[in-house]
Amino acid sequence: MPCPHVTSCPMFALFTVKDSLRVWQIHYCNGRYEDCARLKLARACEAVPRELLPNGKTLDLDGVKR
């Protein structure tokens, strides 16, 4: 069973290389989604930073179009 946010996760738009996104989807969205840092924050009703990765690390978005 995939993550309940698999179709609406705003993190997906950050990846232009779809193979990179696919790695996150395999390991978290369609796998251990209960371990996803983004999902944990959402379930705690806390703001989820756009650049937060499922493993709890953050992307450096300096210079990235928003």
Side-chain angles (χ1 to χ4, degrees), residues 5-49:
H5 298 279
V6 74
T7 59
S8 61
C9 184
M11 181 191 75
F12 294 173
L14 299 177
F15 289 89
T16 56
V17 178
K18 295 306 172 192
D19 288 338
S20 296
L21 173 59
R22 188 79 183 123
V23 170
W24 293 111
Q25 289 173 321
I26 288 168
H27 292 287
Y28 287 95
C29 308
N30 297 319
R32 318 171 307 190
Y33 70 87
E34 294 292 335
D35 294 335
C36 178
R38 299 179 62 81
L39 182 62
K40 288 177 184 178
L41 285 177
R43 285 186 170 170
C45 297
E46 295 183 34
V48 180

